[in-house]
Amino acid sequence: MTSDLPVEVVGDGGGDQRWRTSVLCLAVGFGSRDDPEGQGGVAHLLEHLLMSAPLDGGRSLSERVERLGGQANAITGLDRMFFQVQVLGAHVPEVAALLTRAVLEPRLDDGVLDTERQAVLQELAAAAADPSDTVQDAFLAALFPGHPLGRPVGGTAEEVRRLRLPDVLAVHREVFLDRRTALVCTGGTGPEEVAKHVAGTTGTAPTTVSVPAAVPLSEPAVEAWRPRTGGSEGFSWFATGGRAPAVDDPRRHAYTVLAQLLGPSPASVLYRTLRGREGLVYAFHTWERGYTESGAWRVLAGVEDGNLVRAQEVVRDLLLTVADRGPDPEDLAVARRQAVMDLVTRAERPWDHALTLSQETVLGTRSWSVSDGIRDLERVTAEEVRLAAAAIAEHQTTVVRPAPEPV
């Protein structure tokens, strides 16, 4: 059977002949935000099934790719899903066809559903036992209350146990297959060569796909910020930050630079204070992520409970300082350079670059290059960073896990 669904093939050139391998990333404008009410986790479970279901009654896509010596993986996000493979160039024709068939034309049955359901339940159990995972779900839930962006990607164990094969097939048929799909190529094989081996591809953007309707966001809560306490007896994780611009909003570049300004590098102002001067943490992470209606900017850190309140206060004080005075010119120059370096190093890793291309081109709907990304970051001004810090500080959200026991 040949798919008649249009698949946009996206790349950034004719293939880099320095690479003996190629990465193919089938990116779909579909994610956990599309889970129907009461069926949380169905998108994540579907991802598992598409990678693990037998092809032609034989081995799964994942096993076939790995038996060729390649690598296969899939990711479910809030509003994107990615199916990635990396193989030697000689295997691209075979694997390109296998990838699109496995994802667009699966043969699912109760046997593979039961097996992958158990794998998903184990994954959820592992995440629930890890406060560095649970704090991120709790942060998004607090940042986007009552909104699809605030739901956990994996759903709950109870929801996953209730899912049946007709539920999963209906979501795949009625929602997943109706969304824009792009096959992103990086490494040694260019998009024109890959397109020859993918049934149903087109040279222009598809016109028959649907775009999910934007769900209105409630206004962020307005309340006096205060540090949060935890419920552990030794070590806790906190996530603190606020809403950021949507994925297609050019203002998000300032939030990317702000994430470097207050990032985990020894050159950042937050590192110099949080770890260098006060010794409150061993490691922390700062990043911005854009979604359909909005985005999220956050600092994530694990700390001893005795340092928990003070660590949150340091982040808050530095956000307020940047919001009030703007960034120090030298620190801003460093943050811009680090943001550019992060973009370039990701571009030099084909696996990561495929994800970046799918996001920045919005699944093939607009042109984008690494040079464009560098230009956007280098143009970020001190005032734009100040405004980003002010917006986050005004509605700053903080969550700690383990959570305190209810009184």
Side-chain angles (χ1 to χ4, degrees), residues 341-359:
M341 186 66 174
D342 181 62
L343 174 66
V344 172
T345 54
R346 281 187 283 116
E348 293 179 351
R349 299 190 297 263
W351 191 272
D352 294 333
H353 189 42
L355 295 177
T356 301
L357 277 175
S358 68
Q359 294 278 45

Side-chain angles (χ1 to χ4, degrees), residues 30-306:
F30 171 88
S32 60
R33 63 169 297 139
D34 297 299
D35 290 345
E37 189 68 31
Q39 294 182 5
V42 67
H44 180 230
L45 179 58
L46 177 62
E47 170 225 301
H48 275 249
L49 294 172
L50 297 179
M51 295 294 286
S52 302
L55 278 170
D56 302 324
R59 297 183 175 97
S60 67
L61 170 67
S62 294
E63 185 175 352
R64 290 182 186 223
V65 170
E66 303 266 345
R67 288 176 73 88
L68 292 171
Q71 297 178 330
N73 191 33
I75 302 169
T76 299
L78 295 178
D79 53 5
R80 293 285 188 273
M81 194 176 284
F82 307 97
F83 302 87
Q84 282 188 282
V85 297
Q86 184 170 18
V87 294
L88 292 169
H91 299 306
V92 166
E94 174 186 0
V95 170
L98 288 173
L99 174 61
T100 51
R101 283 174 48 218
V103 173
L104 302 179
E105 302 166 354
R107 295 292 182 265
L108 307 179
D109 58 34
D110 284 314
V112 70
L113 173 64
D114 291 341
T115 298
E116 290 308 310
R117 187 207 313 275
Q118 289 306 310
V120 167
L121 290 172
Q122 292 303 307
E123 186 178 347
L124 293 178
D130 184 350
S132 68
D133 270 339
T134 59
V135 75
Q136 296 188 63
D137 281 346
F139 174 75
L140 290 174
L143 200 62
F144 304 116
H147 192 275
L149 292 176
R151 297 195 303 233
V153 169
T156 66
E158 292 73 20
E159 288 174 313
V160 172
R161 289 191 181 97
R162 287 199 302 265
L163 292 172
R164 296 296 178 262
L165 186 59
D167 302 325
V168 180
L169 292 174
V171 168
H172 182 266
R173 180 181 63 252
E174 297 169 11
V175 186
F176 182 96
L177 291 181
D178 198 36
R179 295 295 169 81
R180 173 174 289 279
T181 301
L183 182 58
V184 183
C185 320
T186 59
T189 309
E192 290 186 3
E193 178 63 26
V194 171
K196 298 175 184 176
H197 309 290
V198 181
T201 59
T202 62
T204 58
T207 58
T208 58
V209 296
S210 70
V211 176
V215 178
L217 278 162
S218 61
E219 289 298 317
V222 178
E223 58 181 43
W225 181 87
R226 60 182 176 83
R228 304 291 177 173
T229 57
S232 78
E233 296 180 356
F235 196 86
S236 298
W237 288 83
F238 74 86
T240 188
R243 293 183 187 175
V247 67
D248 59 352
D249 189 328
R251 294 176 300 169
R252 67 189 173 88
H253 304 303
Y255 288 73
T256 301
V257 172
L258 179 64
Q260 296 291 346
L261 187 76
L262 301 184
S265 164
S268 91
V269 61
L270 181 57
Y271 183 102
R272 296 199 302 267
T273 306
L274 196 61
R275 178 173 170 176
R277 189 175 73 206
E278 300 204 25
L280 297 172
V281 304
Y282 169 66
F284 65 96
H285 307 278
T286 310
W287 73 98
E288 167 270 336
R289 191 80 76 242
Y291 308 113
T292 304
E293 295 93 347
S294 183
W297 186 98
R298 79 199 81 173
V299 176
L300 172 70
V303 297
E304 290 183 328
D305 285 347

